[in-house]
C-alpha cells in the first residue's frame, strides 16, 4: 500500500516521519494485527490510537508510555508480543528549535524524564544545554508533550 498516494487522494500532505507502532510490536506486526482496537481500549495512558488504515499507533502528544504491558495482554493476535526483549527502539532527540539553544532557560524535558536520560550541560555565558543520554532513554515520550517549542522528536533508533 502506498501511503503517499492515499494521502494525495484524500487531500492530505504526506507525513514526514512514520508514526511508531505500539510497544512490543512483533516483527510481523502489520501482518498479525487484526485492527480490532483491543490495545487502544486497554491502554491506561490512552496514547495508543487507531491510525491510518486502522492500525494502532502511538500518539505521544496524549502522554507517555508507562510500559504497563496492558496492550500486550489485550492483543489476542500476538501482534504485540511481550516475549520481545525490549518494548521498542524509540529514542528522544532534540532539534534546533529548543529554547535553550536560543538562550532561554528551559528544563521542562529534563524534569519530565523519569529515566533521567536528559541532563543539562553548563557553559559560561550560556544557559544550560540539554543532552540526551540515548543509552538511558526508554523512548517513553514523557518529554514530548511538555516541550513548549515542540523540539523533541521520538524516533526509531537502531541500537
Amino acid at each position: 500500500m502506498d501511503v503517499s498516494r492515499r494521502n494525495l487522494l484524500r487531500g492530505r500532505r504526506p507525513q514526514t516521519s512514520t508514526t511508531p507502532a505500539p510497544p512490543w510490536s512483533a516483527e510481523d506486526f502489520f501482518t498479525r494485527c487484526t485492527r480490532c482496537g483491543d490495545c487502544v481500549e486497554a491502554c491506561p495512558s490512552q496514547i495508543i490510537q487507531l491510525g491510518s488504515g486502522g492500525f494502532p499507533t502511538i500518539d505521544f502528544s496524549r502522554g507517555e508510555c508507562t510500559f504497563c504491558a496492558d496492550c500486550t495482554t489485550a492483543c489476542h493476535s500476538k501482534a504485540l508480543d511481550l516475549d520481545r526483549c525490549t518494548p521498542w527502539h524509540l529514542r528522544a532527540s532534540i532539534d534546533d528549535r529548543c529554547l535553550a539553544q536560543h538562550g532561554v532557560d528551559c528544563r521542562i524535558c529534563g524534569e519530565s524524564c523519569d529515566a533521567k536520560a536528559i541532563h543539562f550541560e553548563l557553559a559560561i555565558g550560556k544557559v544550560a544545554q540539554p543532552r540526551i543520554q540515548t543509552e538511558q532513554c526508554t523512548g517513553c515520550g514523557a518529554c514530548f508533550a511538555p516541550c513548549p517549542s515542540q523540539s523533541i522528536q521520538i524516533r526509531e533508533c537502531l541500537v
Side-chain angles (χ1 to χ4, degrees):
M1 164 173 46
D2 185 349
V3 177
S4 62
R5 275 191 211 164
R6 183 174 63 226
N7 286 339
L8 175 69
L9 294 173
R10 290 188 178 174
R12 297 182 190 158
R13 290 186 309 151
Q15 295 183 9
T16 56
S17 63
T18 58
T19 307
W24 293 287
S25 295
E27 295 297 322
D28 55 352
F29 172 75
F30 292 104
T31 304
R32 288 179 176 251
C33 181
T34 61
R35 299 180 265 183
C36 66
D38 289 347
C39 59
V40 175
E41 296 297 321
C43 181
S45 300
Q46 298 179 340
I47 64 167
I48 302 177
Q49 299 292 306
L50 291 181
S52 181
F55 288 102
T57 62
I58 298 296
D59 182 358
F60 287 119
S61 68
R62 301 174 67 84
E64 67 186 273
C65 183
T66 61
F67 304 106
C68 66
D70 288 355
C71 56
T72 62
T73 306
C75 182
H76 300 291
S77 67
K78 297 295 181 197
L80 304 178
D81 187 5
L82 196 55
D83 290 337
R84 281 188 71 187
C85 57
T86 58
W88 50 34
H89 295 292
L90 298 177
R91 299 294 179 265
S93 64
I94 302 173
D95 67 26
D96 60 358
R97 293 177 291 176
C98 177
L99 295 177
Q101 292 181 16
H102 296 279
V104 178
D105 191 20
C106 178
R107 296 182 181 220
I108 293 173
C109 59
E111 293 167 0
S112 303
C113 182
D114 289 338
K116 305 293 182 219
I118 303 174
H119 71 281
F120 292 83
E121 291 180 0
L122 299 176
I124 297 173
K126 291 183 174 180
V127 299
Q129 298 294 304
R131 300 288 180 248
I132 298 176
Q133 298 174 350
T134 54
E135 64 278 354
Q136 284 182 250
C137 181
T138 62
C140 70
C143 58
F144 182 84
C147 179
S149 63
Q150 300 176 344
S151 62
I152 299 199
Q153 307 298 316
I154 310 294
R155 294 189 176 131
E156 188 77 21
C157 175
L158 301 175
V159 191

